[in-house]
Every structure is written in structure tokens, then in C-alpha cells.
């Protein structure tokens, strides 16, 4: 934050206490969160060069208030420097609220990726799916794991049968229009070796490593809320079966804490949606 009188910056995240949770109830996602956050700031008066420090306290970031109404308290250590405090109370407070808004946006998009959502057939049933985000997890997300840090990972192996040909199933993973139909969202697709892809509004990204037409796809694959620059290796093998195609998925390098979410993502957001698309295609035919 800077004006003609001085310059300030947030220097430290001193405290994060609380939790957030997301539940699926009767076909709707319900969010609950309450956080107590303390930040340190420092600044310098341009005319004199004097330096000052202070705190920003957010006693209650919760779903009960809009971000613009969230209480943000700015304080300064003893001495002069009220010019800097005023800068933090105006521009600084606005920037803090902007950052809180980005967190809430991420909570409602990235954090829910892979949740089991009800299908039309069970839309009236209550699905007690709940995920919680503790203060420790928030701090990890606020400071992504540095490159080179070893991340505990697991491998997944899933198989699924589809009532379609190998050629049709392979095309669903490599043709942009078909990817957009089963994902129900915009996609970017370059189905060639070294080509990039982006799905589910950017929540899934990666790169094609190898493509053997109608036989195998190998790709680097990640969710947006994984540690920065960390990718799993996904191999899709398309195996012909009488009247069907068996899809064999091997996924290596999944962060341990994201194992269940990744399973849900493939089983619910990929496999089930692809079967729905194939059924619709058959009916139209």
C-alpha cells in the first residue's frame, strides 16, 4: 500500500485460528466458516524515513457477514506514524478484504472439487457429505509447499466399464467438444504430446505425455488446490471387452491428503458424467 505520504506492507501472518466446513444437504452446498486472523504490518514515512510497525486483527471472518462488512482493526505501536496507520485503515483494509474475498471464492470452488454431489435420482435424499478445513490446512494453502520439498503421495488404481466402443471412449478424453459436454464447463484441450489441457473451469490442469490412439493416454495431472507445481502421473488404458470398453486408470503421485478427493473426482465427475453423456447420446441416436 502506498501514497504520497508513505508506504506499507503486510509483513507476517501471525495467527490463524478457526475452521471451515462444507456440507452437501438435499442437493445444495452449505458453507460454514469462522476465523480469527492476526497480521503484522510495517511501513515507512517518505518525508522522514521513519519506520513504524503495527497489527491488523480480523476477529471474526464468518458466513454471518459479507466480506465488506467484516471487522478489520488496525493498530500501531507507540510513537508517531499516524499517517501510516491511516494508510493501513483505508487502502490496507480494502486490500485485506479483497484477499479475504479471494479466500472465500477459493473455498467455494477449489475446496469443493471432488465432493459427491447428488444426482437427479437422489436429489431429494440427504447426503451427509462434509469436509473440514482446519487452521493448519489454511496455513499450508496460504504458503504453498516450496518446490523441492518431498510430498507424501499415494497411487490409485481404478477400473470402470463403459457401454461404448474403444474409439468413442478415447475421443471423449481427447475431443474438446466432448470434454465440455461431460464436464459441463469450458475446457482447453491440445490432444498431442506436450499439449496442455484445462478442465472444470481451470480446477483440473495438466499436460499430455503420450497418446496411443484408442489404446492409452499418459498425462501430467493436478487439481488447483494441490501443492504448487505438484503433478500426478495418470495413465488411462482402453481395453476392448464384448460390447463394452474397460477403462483402467493408474494415478501415481497423489498427495496423501487428497486421496479421497481424487477418487471422488474421477469416479463422480468423470466416470459417472461420461456414462450420462453416453446414455444421452444413445437416446438421441
Amino acid at each position: 500500500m502506498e501514497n504520497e505520504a508513505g508506504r506499507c506492507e503486510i509483513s507476517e501472518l501471525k495467527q490463524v485460528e478457526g475452521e471451515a466446513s462444507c456440507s452437501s444437504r438435499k442437493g445444495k452446498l452449505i458453507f460454514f466458516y469462522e476465523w480469527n486472523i492476526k497480521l503484522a504490518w510495517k511501513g515507512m514515512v517518505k518525508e522522514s524515513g521513519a519506520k513504524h510497525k503495527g497489527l491488523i486483527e480480523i476477529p471474526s471472518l464468518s458466513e454471518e457477514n459479507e466480506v465488506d462488512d467484516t471487522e478489520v482493526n488496525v493498530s500501531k505501536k507507540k510513537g508517531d506514524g499516524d499517517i501510516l496507520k491511516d494508510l493501513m485503515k483505508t487502502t490496507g483494509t480494502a486490500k485485506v478484504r479483497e484477499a479475504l474475498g479471494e479466500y472465500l471464492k477459493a473455498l467455494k470452488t477449489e475446496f469443493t472439487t471432488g465432493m459427491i454431489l447428488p444426482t437427479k435420482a437422489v436429489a431429494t435424499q440427504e447426503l451427509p457429505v462434509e469436509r473440514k478445513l482446519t487452521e493448519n490446512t489454511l496455513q499450508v494453502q496460504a504458503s504453498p509447499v516450496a518446490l523441492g520439498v518431498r510430498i507424501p503421495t499415494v497411487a490409485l488404481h481404478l477400473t470402470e466399464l463403459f457401454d461404448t466402443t474403444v474409439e468413442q471412449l478415447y475421443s471423449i478424453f481427447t475431443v474438446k467438444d466432448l470434454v465440455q459436454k461431460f464436464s459441463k464447463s469450458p475446457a482447453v484441450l491440445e490432444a498431442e504430446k506436450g499439449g496442455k489441457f484445462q478442465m472444470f473451469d481451470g480446477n483440473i490442469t495438466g499436460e499430455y505425455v503420450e497418446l496411443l490412439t484408442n489404446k492409452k493416454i499418459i498425462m501430467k495431472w493436478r487439481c488447483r488446490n494441490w501443492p504448487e507445481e505438484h503433478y500426478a502421473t495418470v495413465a488411462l488404458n482402453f481395453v476392448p471387452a464384448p460390447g463394452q470398453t474397460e477403462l483402467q486408470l493408474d494415478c501415481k503421485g497423489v498427495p496423501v491428503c487428497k486421496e479421497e478427493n481424487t477418487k471422488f473426482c474421477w469416479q463422480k465427475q468423470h466416470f459417472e458424467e461420461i456414462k450420462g453423456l453416453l446414455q444421452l447420446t444413445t437416446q438421441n441416436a
Side-chain angles (χ1 to χ4, degrees), residues 27-80:
K28 294 183 178 180
L29 295 179
I30 303 173
F31 298 87
F32 300 96
Y33 50 89
E34 181 149 4
W35 298 101
N36 181 307
I37 305 169
K38 288 185 181 179
L39 309 166
W41 66 268
K42 61 183 180 181
M44 183 180 71
V45 179
K46 289 183 177 179
E47 184 176 352
S48 64
K51 297 180 180 180
H52 298 276
K53 296 180 179 181
L55 293 175
I56 294 177
E57 296 186 65
I58 304 156
S60 180
L61 172 64
S62 77
E63 76 282 350
E64 295 180 1
N65 299 305
E66 297 293 331
V67 171
D68 290 342
D69 298 326
T70 299
E71 184 179 356
V72 179
N73 299 320
V74 178
S75 62
K76 179 184 65 65
K77 292 186 177 180
K78 295 181 179 179
D80 296 329

Side-chain angles (χ1 to χ4, degrees), residues 69-114:
D69 298 326
T70 299
E71 184 179 356
V72 179
N73 299 320
V74 178
S75 62
K76 179 184 65 65
K77 292 186 177 180
K78 295 181 179 179
D80 296 329
D82 286 340
I83 292 176
L84 298 180
K85 182 179 177 182
D86 290 341
L87 175 59
M88 290 304 300
K89 290 180 83 170
T90 53
T91 307
T93 295
K95 291 216 170 193
V96 166
R97 285 187 172 135
E98 182 182 337
L100 296 177
E102 289 298 314
Y103 160 69
L104 296 180
K105 181 180 178 182
L107 177 68
K108 295 176 181 180
T109 53
E110 299 170 28
F111 183 51
T112 57
T113 298

Side-chain angles (χ1 to χ4, degrees), residues 47-221:
E47 184 176 352
S48 64
K51 297 180 180 180
H52 298 276
K53 296 180 179 181
L55 293 175
I56 294 177
E57 296 186 65
I58 304 156
S60 180
L61 172 64
S62 77
E63 76 282 350
E64 295 180 1
N65 299 305
E66 297 293 331
V67 171
D68 290 342
D69 298 326
T70 299
E71 184 179 356
V72 179
N73 299 320
V74 178
S75 62
K76 179 184 65 65
K77 292 186 177 180
K78 295 181 179 179
D80 296 329
D82 286 340
I83 292 176
L84 298 180
K85 182 179 177 182
D86 290 341
L87 175 59
M88 290 304 300
K89 290 180 83 170
T90 53
T91 307
T93 295
K95 291 216 170 193
V96 166
R97 285 187 172 135
E98 182 182 337
L100 296 177
E102 289 298 314
Y103 160 69
L104 296 180
K105 181 180 178 182
L107 177 68
K108 295 176 181 180
T109 53
E110 299 170 28
F111 183 51
T112 57
T113 298
M115 285 195 70
I116 299 180
L117 300 180
T119 62
K120 291 181 180 179
V122 295
T124 58
Q125 299 178 10
E126 184 171 307
L127 299 182
V129 178
E130 184 168 309
R131 300 171 61 192
K132 285 196 173 183
L133 182 63
T134 65
E135 58 268 23
N136 291 333
T137 308
L138 178 63
Q139 288 173 342
V140 169
Q141 289 188 340
S143 302
V145 176
L147 298 182
V149 175
R150 188 174 183 83
I151 299 170
T153 63
V154 295
L156 304 179
H157 178 72
L158 303 172
T159 60
E160 195 77 19
L161 282 172
F162 295 87
D163 295 328
T164 188
T165 64
V166 167
E167 292 80 8
Q168 177 69 7
L169 187 59
Y170 182 88
S171 67
I172 287 176
F173 284 93
T174 54
V175 176
K176 178 179 176 180
D177 182 55
L178 295 176
V179 170
Q180 292 183 148
K181 283 183 178 179
F182 88 74
S183 67
K184 300 180 176 66
S185 62
V188 176
L189 220 64
E190 300 170 358
E192 59 186 31
K193 185 175 182 180
K196 309 291 185 182
F197 62 83
Q198 181 174 298
M199 302 166 55
F200 296 103
D201 291 324
N203 283 305
I204 302 297
T205 56
E207 178 181 323
Y208 291 102
V209 177
E210 182 180 356
L211 295 100
L212 297 178
T213 304
N214 302 330
K215 292 183 179 180
K216 177 185 286 190
I217 299 173
I218 300 177
M219 51 193 168
K220 291 168 58 180
W221 188 95

